[in-house]
Amino acid sequence: KCMAMHTDLQTFCLRYDLSCLLQNTVQTQRCLEASICVGDRAPLSLEYNALYLRRYAKYEQIIADKLLHQPQNLFMNDVKHQLDKLFAIDFHYIYEKWLQDKAQSLPLLCEKYLDVLSTNSLSKSLDWPAIQNCFERANDALDLMP
């Protein structure tokens, strides 16, 4: 079914006085930089003149890091082993965020940085007190591997 109410970007921006978003200007840049929605602790990130959802900016950075730092002999012998090595989970991002605010919800952090969705059966079967204990005992990101 089609949605009864369809609003295009231009109409939306005009209706909510956000017309500056339709232009790539210095004024737009300043508005975004001054916004409480953009910044280090905000959901949006302004990088290289582009506005990102912070979560996806991190994902893009992780993928770029993986692609830029590939092993020289990728796909030589054991493809599965090489792919596992290339796309191994990097606990540095989640560990840094946890260190910034240790009171935040670990399930939400895991959902954000490890794609462990709180609504799926895997998340419900995880031992969250043990995971909390692991974070509390960790001295660095590598201690989270177990």
Side-chain angles (χ1 to χ4, degrees), residues 104-146:
Q104 61 189 311
S105 165
L106 270 178
L108 289 178
L109 265 180
C110 290
E111 181 175 336
K112 183 175 183 178
Y113 292 99
L114 302 178
D115 284 333
V116 175
L117 300 178
S118 57
T119 57
N120 69 19
S121 59
L122 169 66
S123 176
K124 292 174 184 165
S125 68
L126 292 175
D127 184 355
W128 289 108
I131 293 170
Q132 178 77 35
N133 188 33
C134 183
F135 270 82
E136 290 170 358
R137 288 183 294 123
N139 292 317
D140 62 37
L142 296 178
D143 292 340
L144 299 178
M145 291 297 287

mmCIF file of all heavy atoms in Angstrom, residues 104-146:
data_model
loop_
_atom_site.group_PDB
_atom_site.id
_atom_site.type_symbol
_atom_site.label_atom_id
_atom_site.label_comp_id
_atom_site.label_asym_id
_atom_site.label_seq_id
_atom_site.Cartn_x
_atom_site.Cartn_y
_atom_site.Cartn_z
ATOM 1 N N GLN A 104 26.561 3.153 30.851
ATOM 2 C CA GLN A 104 25.641 2.917 29.732
ATOM 3 C C GLN A 104 25.323 1.437 29.563
ATOM 4 O O GLN A 104 26.032 0.575 30.049
ATOM 5 C CB GLN A 104 26.194 3.517 28.449
ATOM 6 C CG GLN A 104 27.513 2.950 27.983
ATOM 7 C CD GLN A 104 28.091 3.748 26.837
ATOM 8 O OE1 GLN A 104 27.398 4.024 25.887
ATOM 9 N NE2 GLN A 104 29.346 4.114 26.946
ATOM 10 N N SER A 105 24.258 1.162 28.882
ATOM 11 C CA SER A 105 23.757 -0.200 28.696
ATOM 12 C C SER A 105 24.671 -1.006 27.768
ATOM 13 O O SER A 105 24.882 -0.631 26.616
ATOM 14 C CB SER A 105 22.353 -0.125 28.101
ATOM 15 O OG SER A 105 21.964 -1.363 27.596
ATOM 16 N N LEU A 106 25.195 -2.118 28.275
ATOM 17 C CA LEU A 106 26.028 -2.985 27.440
ATOM 18 C C LEU A 106 25.245 -3.616 26.286
ATOM 19 O O LEU A 106 25.760 -3.695 25.178
ATOM 20 C CB LEU A 106 26.703 -4.060 28.277
ATOM 21 C CG LEU A 106 28.061 -3.665 28.837
ATOM 22 C CD1 LEU A 106 28.627 -4.774 29.698
ATOM 23 C CD2 LEU A 106 29.029 -3.297 27.755
ATOM 24 N N PRO A 107 24.005 -4.062 26.508
ATOM 25 C CA PRO A 107 23.253 -4.588 25.360
ATOM 26 C C PRO A 107 23.107 -3.558 24.234
ATOM 27 O O PRO A 107 23.244 -3.884 23.065
ATOM 28 C CB PRO A 107 21.897 -4.973 25.960
ATOM 29 C CG PRO A 107 22.221 -5.307 27.376
ATOM 30 C CD PRO A 107 23.293 -4.322 27.769
ATOM 31 N N LEU A 108 22.883 -2.289 24.594
ATOM 32 C CA LEU A 108 22.770 -1.253 23.568
ATOM 33 C C LEU A 108 24.110 -1.002 22.885
ATOM 34 O O LEU A 108 24.172 -0.791 21.675
ATOM 35 C CB LEU A 108 22.222 0.043 24.160
ATOM 36 C CG LEU A 108 20.750 0.013 24.553
ATOM 37 C CD1 LEU A 108 20.316 1.328 25.178
ATOM 38 C CD2 LEU A 108 19.873 -0.325 23.361
ATOM 39 N N LEU A 109 25.194 -1.008 23.653
ATOM 40 C CA LEU A 109 26.524 -0.853 23.055
ATOM 41 C C LEU A 109 26.824 -1.998 22.098
ATOM 42 O O LEU A 109 27.361 -1.787 21.004
ATOM 43 C CB LEU A 109 27.600 -0.831 24.149
ATOM 44 C CG LEU A 109 28.057 0.505 24.668
ATOM 45 C CD1 LEU A 109 29.115 0.316 25.735
ATOM 46 C CD2 LEU A 109 28.543 1.411 23.592
ATOM 47 N N CYS A 110 26.496 -3.209 22.510
ATOM 48 C CA CYS A 110 26.741 -4.377 21.650
ATOM 49 C C CYS A 110 25.874 -4.315 20.399
ATOM 50 O O CYS A 110 26.311 -4.714 19.319
ATOM 51 C CB CYS A 110 26.495 -5.667 22.421
ATOM 52 S SG CYS A 110 27.737 -5.977 23.697
ATOM 53 N N GLU A 111 24.671 -3.796 20.545
ATOM 54 C CA GLU A 111 23.810 -3.640 19.376
ATOM 55 C C GLU A 111 24.421 -2.614 18.417
ATOM 56 O O GLU A 111 24.444 -2.815 17.215
ATOM 57 C CB GLU A 111 22.417 -3.189 19.808
ATOM 58 C CG GLU A 111 21.456 -3.025 18.659
ATOM 59 C CD GLU A 111 20.049 -2.686 19.110
ATOM 60 O OE1 GLU A 111 19.669 -2.997 20.252
ATOM 61 O OE2 GLU A 111 19.326 -2.104 18.306
ATOM 62 N N LYS A 112 24.951 -1.554 18.975
ATOM 63 C CA LYS A 112 25.495 -0.474 18.146
ATOM 64 C C LYS A 112 26.802 -0.865 17.461
ATOM 65 O O LYS A 112 26.992 -0.600 16.281
ATOM 66 C CB LYS A 112 25.712 0.765 19.016
ATOM 67 C CG LYS A 112 26.195 1.971 18.271
ATOM 68 C CD LYS A 112 26.261 3.174 19.180
ATOM 69 C CE LYS A 112 26.669 4.406 18.401
ATOM 70 N NZ LYS A 112 26.702 5.589 19.243
ATOM 71 N N TYR A 113 27.712 -1.491 18.191
ATOM 72 C CA TYR A 113 29.047 -1.737 17.645
ATOM 73 C C TYR A 113 29.298 -3.171 17.189
ATOM 74 O O TYR A 113 30.251 -3.428 16.466
ATOM 75 C CB TYR A 113 30.118 -1.329 18.656
ATOM 76 C CG TYR A 113 30.151 0.160 18.849
ATOM 77 C CD1 TYR A 113 29.524 0.754 19.918
ATOM 78 C CD2 TYR A 113 30.777 0.978 17.919
ATOM 79 C CE1 TYR A 113 29.530 2.132 20.083
ATOM 80 C CE2 TYR A 113 30.782 2.341 18.067
ATOM 81 C CZ TYR A 113 30.160 2.912 19.150
ATOM 82 O OH TYR A 113 30.168 4.276 19.288
ATOM 83 N N LEU A 114 28.470 -4.117 17.630
ATOM 84 C CA LEU A 114 28.711 -5.518 17.274
ATOM 85 C C LEU A 114 27.530 -6.142 16.536
ATOM 86 O O LEU A 114 27.559 -7.327 16.242
ATOM 87 C CB LEU A 114 29.019 -6.340 18.532
ATOM 88 C CG LEU A 114 30.210 -5.873 19.352
ATOM 89 C CD1 LEU A 114 30.357 -6.738 20.589
ATOM 90 C CD2 LEU A 114 31.486 -5.896 18.532
ATOM 91 N N ASP A 115 26.495 -5.374 16.276
ATOM 92 C CA ASP A 115 25.293 -5.871 15.594
ATOM 93 C C ASP A 115 24.635 -7.034 16.328
ATOM 94 O O ASP A 115 24.125 -7.950 15.716
ATOM 95 C CB ASP A 115 25.593 -6.260 14.143
ATOM 96 C CG ASP A 115 25.736 -5.039 13.265
ATOM 97 O OD1 ASP A 115 25.136 -4.010 13.597
ATOM 98 O OD2 ASP A 115 26.436 -5.121 12.255
ATOM 99 N N VAL A 116 24.685 -7.009 17.645
ATOM 100 C CA VAL A 116 23.945 -7.968 18.463
ATOM 101 C C VAL A 116 22.610 -7.298 18.770
ATOM 102 O O VAL A 116 22.530 -6.412 19.603
ATOM 103 C CB VAL A 116 24.695 -8.299 19.783
ATOM 104 C CG1 VAL A 116 23.849 -9.186 20.669
ATOM 105 C CG2 VAL A 116 26.025 -8.947 19.477
ATOM 106 N N LEU A 117 21.587 -7.661 18.038
ATOM 107 C CA LEU A 117 20.293 -7.004 18.180
ATOM 108 C C LEU A 117 19.585 -7.472 19.436
ATOM 109 O O LEU A 117 19.488 -8.674 19.694
ATOM 110 C CB LEU A 117 19.419 -7.265 16.954
ATOM 111 C CG LEU A 117 20.011 -6.765 15.632
ATOM 112 C CD1 LEU A 117 19.086 -7.131 14.478
ATOM 113 C CD2 LEU A 117 20.229 -5.265 15.671
ATOM 114 N N SER A 118 19.082 -6.530 20.197
ATOM 115 C CA SER A 118 18.429 -6.868 21.470
ATOM 116 C C SER A 118 17.129 -7.637 21.268
ATOM 117 O O SER A 118 16.636 -8.260 22.194
ATOM 118 C CB SER A 118 18.162 -5.600 22.276
ATOM 119 O OG SER A 118 17.379 -4.706 21.521
ATOM 120 N N THR A 119 16.592 -7.617 20.063
ATOM 121 C CA THR A 119 15.319 -8.294 19.817
ATOM 122 C C THR A 119 15.476 -9.716 19.292
ATOM 123 O O THR A 119 14.508 -10.431 19.166
ATOM 124 C CB THR A 119 14.485 -7.493 18.793
ATOM 125 O OG1 THR A 119 15.257 -7.351 17.595
ATOM 126 C CG2 THR A 119 14.101 -6.145 19.343
ATOM 127 N N ASN A 120 16.699 -10.131 18.986
ATOM 128 C CA ASN A 120 16.826 -11.490 18.433
ATOM 129 C C ASN A 120 17.155 -12.514 19.521
ATOM 130 O O ASN A 120 17.524 -12.175 20.634
ATOM 131 C CB ASN A 120 17.835 -11.533 17.273
ATOM 132 C CG ASN A 120 19.266 -11.322 17.708
ATOM 133 O OD1 ASN A 120 19.608 -11.470 18.869
ATOM 134 N ND2 ASN A 120 20.112 -10.980 16.764
ATOM 135 N N SER A 121 17.025 -13.787 19.189
ATOM 136 C CA SER A 121 17.186 -14.856 20.178
ATOM 137 C C SER A 121 18.631 -14.967 20.667
ATOM 138 O O SER A 121 18.866 -15.364 21.796
ATOM 139 C CB SER A 121 16.719 -16.182 19.596
ATOM 140 O OG SER A 121 17.470 -16.498 18.435
ATOM 141 N N LEU A 122 19.615 -14.600 19.828
ATOM 142 C CA LEU A 122 21.017 -14.646 20.264
ATOM 143 C C LEU A 122 21.228 -13.729 21.454
ATOM 144 O O LEU A 122 21.821 -14.124 22.461
ATOM 145 C CB LEU A 122 21.954 -14.251 19.116
ATOM 146 C CG LEU A 122 23.414 -14.005 19.499
ATOM 147 C CD1 LEU A 122 24.053 -15.310 19.983
ATOM 148 C CD2 LEU A 122 24.205 -13.436 18.359
ATOM 149 N N SER A 123 20.721 -12.516 21.366
ATOM 150 C CA SER A 123 20.893 -11.559 22.452
ATOM 151 C C SER A 123 20.246 -12.050 23.735
ATOM 152 O O SER A 123 20.788 -11.889 24.815
ATOM 153 C CB SER A 123 20.306 -10.204 22.054
ATOM 154 O OG SER A 123 20.394 -9.312 23.137
ATOM 155 N N LYS A 124 19.084 -12.675 23.610
ATOM 156 C CA LYS A 124 18.373 -13.159 24.788
ATOM 157 C C LYS A 124 19.091 -14.336 25.433
ATOM 158 O O LYS A 124 18.939 -14.589 26.624
ATOM 159 C CB LYS A 124 16.942 -13.529 24.409
ATOM 160 C CG LYS A 124 16.123 -12.303 24.044
ATOM 161 C CD LYS A 124 14.753 -12.654 23.534
ATOM 162 C CE LYS A 124 14.045 -11.373 23.107
ATOM 163 N NZ LYS A 124 12.886 -11.591 22.311
ATOM 164 N N SER A 125 19.882 -15.067 24.676
ATOM 165 C CA SER A 125 20.596 -16.221 25.234
ATOM 166 C C SER A 125 21.980 -15.844 25.770
ATOM 167 O O SER A 125 22.659 -16.688 26.327
ATOM 168 C CB SER A 125 20.730 -17.303 24.158
ATOM 169 O OG SER A 125 21.598 -16.870 23.128
ATOM 170 N N LEU A 126 22.396 -14.601 25.600
ATOM 171 C CA LEU A 126 23.710 -14.179 26.093
ATOM 172 C C LEU A 126 23.679 -13.979 27.606
ATOM 173 O O LEU A 126 22.673 -13.568 28.179
ATOM 174 C CB LEU A 126 24.143 -12.884 25.405
ATOM 175 C CG LEU A 126 24.443 -13.002 23.919
ATOM 176 C CD1 LEU A 126 24.739 -11.636 23.322
ATOM 177 C CD2 LEU A 126 25.602 -13.945 23.665
ATOM 178 N N ASP A 127 24.810 -14.245 28.234
ATOM 179 C CA ASP A 127 24.953 -14.079 29.676
ATOM 180 C C ASP A 127 25.449 -12.651 29.938
ATOM 181 O O ASP A 127 26.649 -12.396 30.041
ATOM 182 C CB ASP A 127 25.953 -15.119 30.209
ATOM 183 C CG ASP A 127 26.085 -15.077 31.713
ATOM 184 O OD1 ASP A 127 25.484 -14.198 32.370
ATOM 185 O OD2 ASP A 127 26.819 -15.938 32.238
ATOM 186 N N TRP A 128 24.490 -11.696 30.017
ATOM 187 C CA TRP A 128 24.853 -10.285 30.151
ATOM 188 C C TRP A 128 25.629 -9.979 31.429
ATOM 189 O O TRP A 128 26.556 -9.166 31.390
ATOM 190 C CB TRP A 128 23.610 -9.406 30.004
ATOM 191 C CG TRP A 128 23.118 -9.410 28.584
ATOM 192 C CD1 TRP A 128 21.989 -10.017 28.107
ATOM 193 C CD2 TRP A 128 23.773 -8.845 27.441
ATOM 194 N NE1 TRP A 128 21.905 -9.845 26.745
ATOM 195 C CE2 TRP A 128 22.983 -9.124 26.314
ATOM 196 C CE3 TRP A 128 24.946 -8.127 27.266
ATOM 197 C CZ2 TRP A 128 23.318 -8.717 25.036
ATOM 198 C CZ3 TRP A 128 25.285 -7.711 25.981
ATOM 199 C CH2 TRP A 128 24.483 -8.003 24.890
ATOM 200 N N PRO A 129 25.326 -10.597 32.577
ATOM 201 C CA PRO A 129 26.167 -10.343 33.759
ATOM 202 C C PRO A 129 27.628 -10.769 33.527
ATOM 203 O O PRO A 129 28.560 -10.079 33.949
ATOM 204 C CB PRO A 129 25.504 -11.177 34.860
ATOM 205 C CG PRO A 129 24.072 -11.266 34.440
ATOM 206 C CD PRO A 129 24.118 -11.366 32.938
ATOM 207 N N ALA A 130 27.849 -11.885 32.829
ATOM 208 C CA ALA A 130 29.225 -12.324 32.533
ATOM 209 C C ALA A 130 29.903 -11.349 31.573
ATOM 210 O O ALA A 130 31.104 -11.063 31.695
ATOM 211 C CB ALA A 130 29.216 -13.726 31.945
ATOM 212 N N ILE A 131 29.136 -10.829 30.612
ATOM 213 C CA ILE A 131 29.694 -9.857 29.668
ATOM 214 C C ILE A 131 30.047 -8.572 30.414
ATOM 215 O O ILE A 131 31.121 -7.995 30.193
ATOM 216 C CB ILE A 131 28.699 -9.593 28.516
ATOM 217 C CG1 ILE A 131 28.543 -10.861 27.676
ATOM 218 C CG2 ILE A 131 29.158 -8.422 27.656
ATOM 219 C CD1 ILE A 131 27.414 -10.817 26.665
ATOM 220 N N GLN A 132 29.173 -8.131 31.316
ATOM 221 C CA GLN A 132 29.453 -6.939 32.140
ATOM 222 C C GLN A 132 30.736 -7.162 32.944
ATOM 223 O O GLN A 132 31.595 -6.293 33.009
ATOM 224 C CB GLN A 132 28.274 -6.672 33.082
ATOM 225 C CG GLN A 132 28.471 -5.493 34.014
ATOM 226 C CD GLN A 132 28.284 -4.163 33.331
ATOM 227 O OE1 GLN A 132 27.449 -4.030 32.454
ATOM 228 N NE2 GLN A 132 29.061 -3.181 33.732
ATOM 229 N N ASN A 133 30.884 -8.336 33.527
ATOM 230 C CA ASN A 133 32.064 -8.673 34.311
ATOM 231 C C ASN A 133 33.328 -8.640 33.434
ATOM 232 O O ASN A 133 34.379 -8.159 33.859
ATOM 233 C CB ASN A 133 31.878 -10.045 34.961
ATOM 234 C CG ASN A 133 32.970 -10.368 35.936
ATOM 235 O OD1 ASN A 133 33.505 -9.483 36.596
ATOM 236 N ND2 ASN A 133 33.300 -11.640 36.045
ATOM 237 N N CYS A 134 33.208 -9.154 32.222
ATOM 238 C CA CYS A 134 34.336 -9.148 31.287
ATOM 239 C C CYS A 134 34.783 -7.721 30.989
ATOM 240 O O CYS A 134 35.974 -7.412 30.985
ATOM 241 C CB CYS A 134 33.942 -9.879 30.004
ATOM 242 S SG CYS A 134 35.272 -10.015 28.798
ATOM 243 N N PHE A 135 33.821 -6.824 30.754
ATOM 244 C CA PHE A 135 34.154 -5.418 30.497
ATOM 245 C C PHE A 135 34.818 -4.789 31.716
ATOM 246 O O PHE A 135 35.797 -4.049 31.581
ATOM 247 C CB PHE A 135 32.890 -4.625 30.132
ATOM 248 C CG PHE A 135 32.594 -4.597 28.661
ATOM 249 C CD1 PHE A 135 31.943 -5.653 28.042
ATOM 250 C CD2 PHE A 135 32.977 -3.517 27.886
ATOM 251 C CE1 PHE A 135 31.669 -5.635 26.694
ATOM 252 C CE2 PHE A 135 32.708 -3.487 26.534
ATOM 253 C CZ PHE A 135 32.059 -4.548 25.930
ATOM 254 N N GLU A 136 34.291 -5.070 32.890
ATOM 255 C CA GLU A 136 34.824 -4.462 34.105
ATOM 256 C C GLU A 136 36.242 -4.942 34.406
ATOM 257 O O GLU A 136 37.044 -4.196 34.970
ATOM 258 C CB GLU A 136 33.889 -4.735 35.282
ATOM 259 C CG GLU A 136 32.590 -3.962 35.159
ATOM 260 C CD GLU A 136 31.537 -4.375 36.171
ATOM 261 O OE1 GLU A 136 31.784 -5.311 36.974
ATOM 262 O OE2 GLU A 136 30.450 -3.766 36.153
ATOM 263 N N ARG A 137 36.572 -6.182 34.049
ATOM 264 C CA ARG A 137 37.911 -6.721 34.299
ATOM 265 C C ARG A 137 38.915 -6.381 33.201
ATOM 266 O O ARG A 137 40.105 -6.488 33.398
ATOM 267 C CB ARG A 137 37.850 -8.237 34.470
ATOM 268 C CG ARG A 137 37.210 -8.673 35.773
ATOM 269 C CD ARG A 137 37.226 -10.185 35.974
ATOM 270 N NE ARG A 137 36.375 -10.837 34.978
ATOM 271 C CZ ARG A 137 36.804 -11.772 34.136
ATOM 272 N NH1 ARG A 137 38.030 -12.212 34.178
ATOM 273 N NH2 ARG A 137 35.979 -12.310 33.252
ATOM 274 N N ALA A 138 38.427 -5.933 32.051
ATOM 275 C CA ALA A 138 39.307 -5.677 30.901
ATOM 276 C C ALA A 138 40.243 -4.500 31.169
ATOM 277 O O ALA A 138 39.843 -3.478 31.705
ATOM 278 C CB ALA A 138 38.455 -5.399 29.669
ATOM 279 N N ASN A 139 41.498 -4.705 30.771
ATOM 280 C CA ASN A 139 42.493 -3.628 30.842
ATOM 281 C C ASN A 139 42.666 -2.956 29.493
ATOM 282 O O ASN A 139 43.196 -1.862 29.411
ATOM 283 C CB ASN A 139 43.840 -4.178 31.319
ATOM 284 C CG ASN A 139 43.769 -4.619 32.761
ATOM 285 O OD1 ASN A 139 43.196 -3.951 33.604
ATOM 286 N ND2 ASN A 139 44.335 -5.788 33.044
ATOM 287 N N ASP A 140 42.256 -3.642 28.430
ATOM 288 C CA ASP A 140 42.277 -3.082 27.082
ATOM 289 C C ASP A 140 41.298 -3.857 26.209
ATOM 290 O O ASP A 140 40.686 -4.811 26.652
ATOM 291 C CB ASP A 140 43.691 -3.072 26.474
ATOM 292 C CG ASP A 140 44.293 -4.451 26.311
ATOM 293 O OD1 ASP A 140 43.560 -5.406 25.974
ATOM 294 O OD2 ASP A 140 45.507 -4.593 26.512
ATOM 295 N N ALA A 141 41.155 -3.425 24.971
ATOM 296 C CA ALA A 141 40.160 -4.004 24.065
ATOM 297 C C ALA A 141 40.408 -5.485 23.801
ATOM 298 O O ALA A 141 39.474 -6.260 23.610
ATOM 299 C CB ALA A 141 40.128 -3.228 22.759
ATOM 300 N N LEU A 142 41.664 -5.908 23.803
ATOM 301 C CA LEU A 142 41.981 -7.314 23.523
ATOM 302 C C LEU A 142 41.445 -8.254 24.609
ATOM 303 O O LEU A 142 41.186 -9.423 24.352
ATOM 304 C CB LEU A 142 43.483 -7.492 23.357
ATOM 305 C CG LEU A 142 44.091 -6.753 22.156
ATOM 306 C CD1 LEU A 142 45.602 -6.949 22.119
ATOM 307 C CD2 LEU A 142 43.458 -7.222 20.857
ATOM 308 N N ASP A 143 41.267 -7.718 25.818
ATOM 309 C CA ASP A 143 40.717 -8.530 26.907
ATOM 310 C C ASP A 143 39.252 -8.879 26.684
ATOM 311 O O ASP A 143 38.697 -9.733 27.383
ATOM 312 C CB ASP A 143 40.864 -7.807 28.252
ATOM 313 C CG ASP A 143 42.311 -7.687 28.691
ATOM 314 O OD1 ASP A 143 43.149 -8.459 28.195
ATOM 315 O OD2 ASP A 143 42.599 -6.802 29.524
ATOM 316 N N LEU A 144 38.603 -8.235 25.717
ATOM 317 C CA LEU A 144 37.197 -8.523 25.411
ATOM 318 C C LEU A 144 37.036 -9.682 24.444
ATOM 319 O O LEU A 144 35.922 -10.152 24.228
ATOM 320 C CB LEU A 144 36.514 -7.269 24.831
ATOM 321 C CG LEU A 144 36.476 -6.044 25.738
ATOM 322 C CD1 LEU A 144 35.820 -4.894 25.005
ATOM 323 C CD2 LEU A 144 35.758 -6.350 27.048
ATOM 324 N N MET A 145 38.101 -10.154 23.861
ATOM 325 C CA MET A 145 38.023 -11.241 22.876
ATOM 326 C C MET A 145 37.274 -12.467 23.393
ATOM 327 O O MET A 145 36.460 -13.017 22.674
ATOM 328 C CB MET A 145 39.419 -11.630 22.387
ATOM 329 C CG MET A 145 40.089 -10.574 21.524
ATOM 330 S SD MET A 145 39.225 -10.243 19.996
ATOM 331 C CE MET A 145 39.608 -11.722 19.085
ATOM 332 N N PRO A 146 37.530 -12.935 24.612
ATOM 333 C CA PRO A 146 36.795 -14.126 25.098
ATOM 334 C C PRO A 146 35.303 -13.873 25.156
ATOM 335 O O PRO A 146 34.506 -14.702 24.946
ATOM 336 C CB PRO A 146 37.354 -14.377 26.480
ATOM 337 C CG PRO A 146 38.638 -13.639 26.565
ATOM 338 C CD PRO A 146 38.520 -12.511 25.594
#
